[in-house]
Amino acid sequence: MESINFAELAKQMNFSPVSEEEIQERDRKEREEQKQQNFENSGVGKRYWNLTMDDFSEASENRDNMKAIAEYIESKSMDNLWMVGATGTGKTFLGAMIIRELGGVYVKSYQLINDVLMSASYSAKESVNEIVNRYAGYRRLVIDEVGKSGNKDTEVNILWQILNERYENELPTVMISNLSKADLANYLGGHIVDRFAGCTKALVFTGDSWRQNGRD
């Protein structure tokens, strides 16, 4: 049986062997593409899809909070996090960057409440328990606009169910609100605040809105 000269065959086919560096670069690009796809499917708004931590204004009064989030991301922290305070100061942006780098799901509190209320419909695809369990099970969850649902009792009740399950399973939750730290604690109530005690970092944002200064 005639042997095959693979080197000669490759030469005739103009085939160039792939180097280890090329393989690593290809794998890196594939990981980055998958990471971007996951980010775009996470619930984060389109305006954040092409932003990175470098887009946070170094002139902001809240640059120390930006550094704290950078450390949170670098350490892959599993702590819970509150970002509270003034409107338009980069809280949602930083919440999005957490999802970009660490994965997870982003949802506005009122969207979550609407999902639950719609579950009462005959055409609903999920029950209340299924919705609660879904949000309770995400490896990392960012809940924005806490305190703005317009239905405090329903919001707090649903958040309690989700946060309690996440606490029991040591899954990190980031909550974002325009309320002050004290007002958010009062809004949520002692039973929820107690779940966060000892495993939560609170960042308070101050200053003028980026949007009023021509930034998104």
Side-chain angles (χ1 to χ4, degrees):
M1 181 177 181
E2 184 179 355
S3 63
I4 300 175
N5 187 327
F6 286 101
E8 183 61 29
L9 180 61
K11 184 177 180 180
Q12 292 174 5
M13 296 177 65
N14 196 28
F15 173 79
S16 300
V18 180
S19 68
E20 182 65 26
E21 290 77 11
E22 289 174 314
I23 293 174
Q24 292 177 356
E25 178 62 15
R26 182 189 62 195
D27 290 346
R28 184 193 66 78
K29 287 182 177 179
E30 289 178 354
R31 289 194 300 270
E32 286 299 316
E33 289 172 359
Q34 184 61 58
K35 178 180 175 181
Q36 182 67 26
Q37 183 177 343
N38 291 342
F39 182 53
E40 293 179 8
N41 292 332
S42 69
V44 169
K46 187 175 181 179
R47 73 169 56 247
Y48 301 102
W49 287 359
N50 296 313
L51 300 180
T52 69
M53 288 290 286
D54 292 337
D55 292 296
F56 191 91
S57 174
E58 282 293 332
S60 169
E61 299 94 325
N62 299 292
R63 54 187 173 273
D64 287 343
N65 288 338
M66 183 273 287
K67 293 176 182 177
I69 295 299
E71 293 173 1
Y72 182 92
I73 291 171
E74 179 67 24
S75 66
K76 295 181 172 59
S77 176
M78 295 297 286
D79 286 343
N80 298 304
L81 182 65
W82 285 13
M83 289 192 279
V84 299
T87 301
T89 50
K91 300 185 300 295
T92 297
F93 169 87
L94 291 173
M97 294 304 100
I98 289 172
I99 296 294
R100 171 183 283 285
E101 299 302 327
L102 299 180
V105 167
Y106 170 94
V107 66
K108 291 181 174 66
S109 186
Y110 57 79
Q111 293 173 329
L112 195 161
I113 305 309
N114 287 340
D115 282 351
V116 171
L117 294 178
M118 290 298 292
S119 68
S121 169
Y122 287 113
S123 61
K125 297 181 180 180
E126 291 181 289
S127 67
V128 173
N129 285 339
E130 287 172 332
I131 292 171
V132 168
N133 289 337
R134 175 159 58 85
Y135 282 105
Y138 291 129
R139 64 174 180 172
R140 192 176 302 269
L141 179 63
V142 175
I143 308 176
D144 202 353
E145 304 288 8
V146 176
K148 293 182 68 175
S149 71
N151 190 336
K152 176 182 176 180
D153 290 344
T154 300
E155 180 177 15
V156 171
N157 178 53
I158 293 170
L159 286 177
W160 160 250
Q161 295 180 61
I162 292 171
L163 295 175
N164 187 53
E165 288 299 316
R166 295 183 65 79
Y167 170 81
E168 294 291 344
N169 289 290
E170 299 183 328
L171 294 171
T173 306
V174 177
M175 293 209 294
I176 302 172
S177 177
N178 293 331
L179 298 174
S180 69
K181 181 180 175 181
D183 286 344
L184 179 60
N186 289 332
Y187 184 87
L188 295 175
H191 58 308
I192 291 181
V193 173
D194 179 70
R195 285 292 184 267
F196 280 84
C199 60
T200 301
K201 184 178 182 65
L203 301 178
V204 178
F205 289 71
T206 60
D208 296 331
S209 169
W210 289 6
R211 290 181 284 272
Q212 292 177 4
N213 291 325
R215 293 204 53 177
D216 286 334

Short mmCIF file of all heavy atoms in Angstrom, two decimals, residues 46-74:
data_model
loop_
_atom_site.label_atom_id
_atom_site.label_comp_id
_atom_site.label_asym_id
_atom_site.label_seq_id
_atom_site.Cartn_x
_atom_site.Cartn_y
_atom_site.Cartn_z
N LYS A 46 -29.73 48.47 25.34
CA LYS A 46 -28.83 48.52 24.19
C LYS A 46 -27.79 49.64 24.30
O LYS A 46 -26.66 49.49 23.81
CB LYS A 46 -29.66 48.72 22.91
CG LYS A 46 -28.86 48.63 21.62
CD LYS A 46 -29.77 48.71 20.41
CE LYS A 46 -28.98 48.59 19.12
NZ LYS A 46 -29.89 48.65 17.93
N ARG A 47 -28.13 50.75 24.96
CA ARG A 47 -27.18 51.87 25.04
C ARG A 47 -25.91 51.50 25.81
O ARG A 47 -24.91 52.21 25.72
CB ARG A 47 -27.84 53.10 25.67
CG ARG A 47 -28.10 53.02 27.15
CD ARG A 47 -28.52 54.38 27.73
NE ARG A 47 -29.67 54.95 27.06
CZ ARG A 47 -29.62 56.04 26.32
NH1 ARG A 47 -28.49 56.68 26.14
NH2 ARG A 47 -30.72 56.50 25.75
N TYR A 48 -25.94 50.40 26.54
CA TYR A 48 -24.77 49.99 27.31
C TYR A 48 -23.95 48.89 26.64
O TYR A 48 -22.89 48.51 27.14
CB TYR A 48 -25.20 49.51 28.71
CG TYR A 48 -25.94 50.56 29.50
CD1 TYR A 48 -27.33 50.52 29.62
CD2 TYR A 48 -25.26 51.60 30.11
CE1 TYR A 48 -28.01 51.49 30.34
CE2 TYR A 48 -25.93 52.59 30.83
CZ TYR A 48 -27.30 52.52 30.93
OH TYR A 48 -27.98 53.49 31.62
N TRP A 49 -24.44 48.37 25.52
CA TRP A 49 -23.83 47.17 24.94
C TRP A 49 -22.37 47.36 24.54
O TRP A 49 -21.59 46.42 24.62
CB TRP A 49 -24.63 46.71 23.72
CG TRP A 49 -25.94 46.08 24.06
CD1 TRP A 49 -26.46 45.88 25.32
CD2 TRP A 49 -26.91 45.57 23.15
NE1 TRP A 49 -27.70 45.28 25.24
CE2 TRP A 49 -28.00 45.08 23.92
CE3 TRP A 49 -26.98 45.50 21.76
CZ2 TRP A 49 -29.14 44.51 23.34
CZ3 TRP A 49 -28.11 44.92 21.18
CH2 TRP A 49 -29.16 44.44 21.97
N ASN A 50 -22.02 48.55 24.10
CA ASN A 50 -20.66 48.77 23.61
C ASN A 50 -19.83 49.64 24.56
O ASN A 50 -18.78 50.16 24.17
CB ASN A 50 -20.70 49.41 22.22
CG ASN A 50 -21.32 48.49 21.19
OD1 ASN A 50 -20.98 47.32 21.11
ND2 ASN A 50 -22.27 49.01 20.42
N LEU A 51 -20.28 49.77 25.79
CA LEU A 51 -19.55 50.55 26.78
C LEU A 51 -18.71 49.64 27.67
O LEU A 51 -18.99 48.46 27.82
CB LEU A 51 -20.52 51.36 27.64
CG LEU A 51 -21.40 52.38 26.91
CD1 LEU A 51 -22.30 53.11 27.91
CD2 LEU A 51 -20.57 53.37 26.13
N THR A 52 -17.66 50.22 28.24
CA THR A 52 -16.81 49.52 29.20
C THR A 52 -16.58 50.43 30.40
O THR A 52 -17.00 51.59 30.42
CB THR A 52 -15.45 49.14 28.59
OG1 THR A 52 -14.69 50.34 28.38
CG2 THR A 52 -15.63 48.40 27.26
N MET A 53 -15.87 49.93 31.39
CA MET A 53 -15.57 50.72 32.57
C MET A 53 -14.80 51.99 32.22
O MET A 53 -14.86 53.00 32.93
CB MET A 53 -14.77 49.90 33.58
CG MET A 53 -15.59 48.82 34.29
SD MET A 53 -16.81 49.48 35.44
CE MET A 53 -15.75 49.99 36.80
N ASP A 54 -14.09 51.98 31.11
CA ASP A 54 -13.32 53.16 30.68
C ASP A 54 -14.22 54.34 30.33
O ASP A 54 -13.75 55.48 30.25
CB ASP A 54 -12.43 52.81 29.49
CG ASP A 54 -11.31 51.86 29.85
OD1 ASP A 54 -10.95 51.81 31.04
OD2 ASP A 54 -10.81 51.16 28.95
N ASP A 55 -15.51 54.06 30.11
CA ASP A 55 -16.44 55.12 29.74
C ASP A 55 -17.02 55.85 30.96
O ASP A 55 -17.78 56.80 30.78
CB ASP A 55 -17.58 54.55 28.89
CG ASP A 55 -17.10 54.08 27.53
OD1 ASP A 55 -16.64 54.92 26.75
OD2 ASP A 55 -17.15 52.87 27.27
N PHE A 56 -16.67 55.39 32.15
CA PHE A 56 -17.14 56.09 33.36
C PHE A 56 -16.31 57.36 33.54
O PHE A 56 -15.09 57.32 33.49
CB PHE A 56 -16.99 55.20 34.59
CG PHE A 56 -17.70 55.73 35.82
CD1 PHE A 56 -19.01 55.37 36.09
CD2 PHE A 56 -17.06 56.61 36.69
CE1 PHE A 56 -19.66 55.85 37.22
CE2 PHE A 56 -17.71 57.10 37.81
CZ PHE A 56 -19.01 56.73 38.08
N SER A 57 -16.97 58.48 33.76
CA SER A 57 -16.29 59.77 33.85
C SER A 57 -15.37 59.84 35.06
O SER A 57 -15.80 59.72 36.20
CB SER A 57 -17.32 60.90 33.93
OG SER A 57 -16.68 62.14 34.15
N GLU A 58 -14.08 60.02 34.80
CA GLU A 58 -13.12 60.18 35.89
C GLU A 58 -13.35 61.49 36.65
O GLU A 58 -12.88 61.66 37.76
CB GLU A 58 -11.70 60.15 35.34
CG GLU A 58 -11.18 58.76 35.03
CD GLU A 58 -11.00 57.90 36.26
OE1 GLU A 58 -10.76 58.43 37.34
OE2 GLU A 58 -11.11 56.67 36.13
N ALA A 59 -14.08 62.42 36.01
CA ALA A 59 -14.37 63.70 36.66
C ALA A 59 -15.56 63.60 37.61
O ALA A 59 -15.86 64.53 38.35
CB ALA A 59 -14.64 64.77 35.60
N SER A 60 -16.23 62.46 37.58
CA SER A 60 -17.42 62.28 38.41
C SER A 60 -17.08 62.34 39.89
O SER A 60 -16.03 61.86 40.34
CB SER A 60 -18.07 60.93 38.08
OG SER A 60 -19.06 60.61 39.03
N GLU A 61 -18.01 62.90 40.66
CA GLU A 61 -17.86 62.88 42.12
C GLU A 61 -17.85 61.46 42.66
O GLU A 61 -17.44 61.22 43.80
CB GLU A 61 -19.02 63.66 42.78
CG GLU A 61 -19.10 65.12 42.39
CD GLU A 61 -20.05 65.35 41.21
OE1 GLU A 61 -20.11 64.46 40.32
OE2 GLU A 61 -20.70 66.41 41.18
N ASN A 62 -18.31 60.52 41.84
CA ASN A 62 -18.47 59.14 42.28
C ASN A 62 -17.36 58.22 41.77
O ASN A 62 -17.55 57.01 41.69
CB ASN A 62 -19.84 58.63 41.82
CG ASN A 62 -20.97 59.44 42.43
OD1 ASN A 62 -21.19 59.38 43.64
ND2 ASN A 62 -21.67 60.20 41.61
N ARG A 63 -16.21 58.78 41.43
CA ARG A 63 -15.12 57.94 40.92
C ARG A 63 -14.65 56.91 41.95
O ARG A 63 -14.17 55.84 41.57
CB ARG A 63 -13.95 58.79 40.43
CG ARG A 63 -13.39 59.77 41.42
CD ARG A 63 -12.34 60.67 40.75
NE ARG A 63 -11.88 61.73 41.63
CZ ARG A 63 -12.47 62.91 41.75
NH1 ARG A 63 -13.58 63.16 41.06
NH2 ARG A 63 -11.99 63.83 42.56
N ASP A 64 -14.78 57.23 43.25
CA ASP A 64 -14.41 56.24 44.27
C ASP A 64 -15.35 55.04 44.22
O ASP A 64 -14.93 53.90 44.44
CB ASP A 64 -14.44 56.86 45.66
CG ASP A 64 -13.26 57.81 45.91
OD1 ASP A 64 -12.28 57.74 45.15
OD2 ASP A 64 -13.33 58.61 46.86
N ASN A 65 -16.62 55.30 43.91
CA ASN A 65 -17.56 54.20 43.75
C ASN A 65 -17.22 53.38 42.52
O ASN A 65 -17.35 52.15 42.52
CB ASN A 65 -18.99 54.74 43.62
CG ASN A 65 -19.53 55.27 44.94
OD1 ASN A 65 -19.05 54.90 46.01
ND2 ASN A 65 -20.53 56.14 44.87
N MET A 66 -16.77 54.05 41.45
CA MET A 66 -16.34 53.33 40.25
C MET A 66 -15.18 52.41 40.58
O MET A 66 -15.15 51.25 40.15
CB MET A 66 -15.96 54.33 39.15
CG MET A 66 -15.55 53.69 37.83
SD MET A 66 -13.79 53.26 37.72
CE MET A 66 -13.09 54.89 37.53
N LYS A 67 -14.23 52.91 41.37
CA LYS A 67 -13.08 52.08 41.75
C LYS A 67 -13.53 50.90 42.60
O LYS A 67 -13.00 49.79 42.48
CB LYS A 67 -12.07 52.94 42.49
CG LYS A 67 -11.40 54.00 41.62
CD LYS A 67 -10.46 54.89 42.42
CE LYS A 67 -9.84 55.96 41.54
NZ LYS A 67 -8.98 56.89 42.32
N ALA A 68 -14.52 51.14 43.47
CA ALA A 68 -15.04 50.06 44.31
C ALA A 68 -15.69 48.97 43.45
O ALA A 68 -15.54 47.77 43.72
CB ALA A 68 -16.05 50.60 45.32
N ILE A 69 -16.41 49.38 42.40
CA ILE A 69 -17.03 48.41 41.49
C ILE A 69 -15.96 47.67 40.70
O ILE A 69 -16.06 46.46 40.46
CB ILE A 69 -18.02 49.09 40.55
CG1 ILE A 69 -19.20 49.67 41.34
CG2 ILE A 69 -18.52 48.12 39.49
CD1 ILE A 69 -20.01 48.65 42.11
N ALA A 70 -14.90 48.38 40.28
CA ALA A 70 -13.80 47.74 39.56
C ALA A 70 -13.17 46.65 40.44
O ALA A 70 -12.85 45.55 39.95
CB ALA A 70 -12.75 48.77 39.16
N GLU A 71 -12.99 46.93 41.72
CA GLU A 71 -12.46 45.93 42.65
C GLU A 71 -13.44 44.78 42.86
O GLU A 71 -13.04 43.61 42.96
CB GLU A 71 -12.14 46.61 43.98
CG GLU A 71 -10.98 47.60 43.91
CD GLU A 71 -10.79 48.39 45.19
OE1 GLU A 71 -11.56 48.14 46.16
OE2 GLU A 71 -9.90 49.26 45.23
N TYR A 72 -14.72 45.11 42.92
CA TYR A 72 -15.78 44.09 43.06
C TYR A 72 -15.72 43.12 41.89
O TYR A 72 -15.80 41.90 42.06
CB TYR A 72 -17.13 44.81 43.12
CG TYR A 72 -18.34 43.93 43.30
CD1 TYR A 72 -18.84 43.65 44.56
CD2 TYR A 72 -19.04 43.42 42.19
CE1 TYR A 72 -19.98 42.86 44.73
CE2 TYR A 72 -20.17 42.64 42.35
CZ TYR A 72 -20.64 42.37 43.63
OH TYR A 72 -21.76 41.60 43.78
N ILE A 73 -15.55 43.69 40.69
CA ILE A 73 -15.47 42.86 39.48
C ILE A 73 -14.18 42.06 39.46
O ILE A 73 -14.17 40.85 39.18
CB ILE A 73 -15.58 43.75 38.23
CG1 ILE A 73 -17.00 44.33 38.12
CG2 ILE A 73 -15.21 42.96 36.97
CD1 ILE A 73 -17.15 45.38 37.03
N GLU A 74 -13.06 42.71 39.76
CA GLU A 74 -11.75 42.05 39.72
C GLU A 74 -11.69 40.86 40.67
O GLU A 74 -11.13 39.81 40.33
CB GLU A 74 -10.65 43.06 40.07
CG GLU A 74 -9.25 42.49 40.09
CD GLU A 74 -8.76 42.06 38.71
OE1 GLU A 74 -9.29 42.59 37.70
OE2 GLU A 74 -7.85 41.20 38.65
#
